[in-house]
Amino acid sequence: MERLIWTRPERGTRGPAAGHSRAELAAAAVTLADRSGLAAVSMRQVAAELGTGPSSLYRYLGGRTDLLDLMADAVAGEIDLGVPLGGDPVEDLLALAVRAKAVHLRHPWLAELPPEPLRLGPRGLAYLEFALRAMAPARLPGPARLEVVAVVDALVAQFARAQRQQGAAGADRQAAQAAYLGEAAAGGYPHLAAALADAPGGDPAEDPEALFGRTVRRVLGALLPAGAPG
């Protein structure tokens, strides 16, 4: 069975002494991905970022998958888990989701990571533990709690992606799209017209933060009903 990087010693016992820590490797890879996207991250490019030869990285890593694991865990550590819980699972998870989305917006390459639900290093485990602790008052069974975290994570990733794309589209194009949608709805789509009429301010292109908060609250309110049976 494959051994994950987290189950292997950071420094090998044979060969020259390691000159870089895993944290330094992760920081170099994250810098590269932030600058040029995930596709630019390779053993060769990370080695160049560190000013060393590609072969030297194999003293620390088995390959690019290990590097991606380090990167994902490093940015998971940017999510502040020191915020006190207020005792309301919906609000506590929403606040956590807002902090997680900020990390996704800082690191757009997270959306390009191969989807692996169990890609969890030490910081990822701390994030999961925090989220599960926030759900303690809901008295849900363990599998249901894990499903809630998965749903929240999916919403975070999707809304971050949509927010980046919305920003890239530009205000003029967004206004043109909204105008077209309103005109089209009035021309024979009564249910769409009614839905748009109920949008805040009548504007379908709502502030993304407000939309995110309302959507996450609505989803969590359904998944975490007050007094749910254990």
Side-chain angles (χ1 to χ4, degrees):
M1 183 174 63
E2 179 182 356
R3 292 185 65 195
L4 299 178
I5 190 169
W6 315 115
T7 67
R8 306 195 306 264
E10 180 163 354
R11 299 175 184 269
T13 57
R14 302 178 61 181
H20 298 287
S21 67
R22 286 177 177 172
E24 291 171 325
L25 297 178
V30 167
T31 297
L32 186 60
D34 286 346
R35 185 171 66 234
S36 305
L38 192 65
V41 176
S42 66
M43 300 288 274
R44 180 176 299 278
Q45 291 301 322
V46 172
E49 192 79 18
L50 291 168
T52 188
S55 61
S56 68
L57 264 62
Y58 289 95
R59 280 186 264 158
Y60 320 92
L61 307 170
R64 188 171 186 264
T65 298
D66 283 350
L67 195 56
L68 297 181
D69 286 347
L70 288 177
M71 293 170 67
D73 198 59
V75 297
E78 297 179 18
I79 303 172
D80 185 2
L81 304 181
V83 177
L85 295 174
D88 181 335
V90 170
E91 293 304 316
D92 286 334
L93 285 177
L94 172 58
L96 179 63
V98 168
R99 300 197 297 277
K101 185 164 75 72
V103 171
H104 276 255
L105 290 172
R106 283 198 298 273
H107 305 291
W109 53 266
L110 278 170
E112 304 170 40
L113 275 178
E116 294 183 13
L118 300 181
R119 191 191 289 277
L120 292 171
R123 295 176 181 85
L125 289 171
Y127 166 84
L128 178 58
E129 179 69 14
F130 184 93
L132 294 173
R133 182 158 57 91
M135 275 185 276
R139 297 171 47 228
L140 287 176
R145 292 170 187 264
L146 294 173
E147 290 166 4
V148 170
V149 177
V151 169
V152 171
D153 287 347
L155 287 171
V156 165
Q158 181 57 39
F159 270 82
R161 183 183 300 112
Q163 189 170 335
R164 286 194 303 271
Q165 292 171 346
Q166 182 179 357
D172 287 346
R173 178 165 174 79
Q174 292 175 42
Q177 290 171 329
Y180 164 75
L181 190 61
E183 292 170 4
Y189 299 92
H191 292 285
L192 176 58
L196 293 177
D198 290 338
D203 181 7
E206 183 186 355
D207 171 65
E209 298 299 338
L211 178 60
F212 179 68
R214 191 172 65 253
T215 301
V216 173
R217 278 195 184 94
R218 188 171 293 160
V219 170
L220 288 175
L223 295 176
L224 297 171

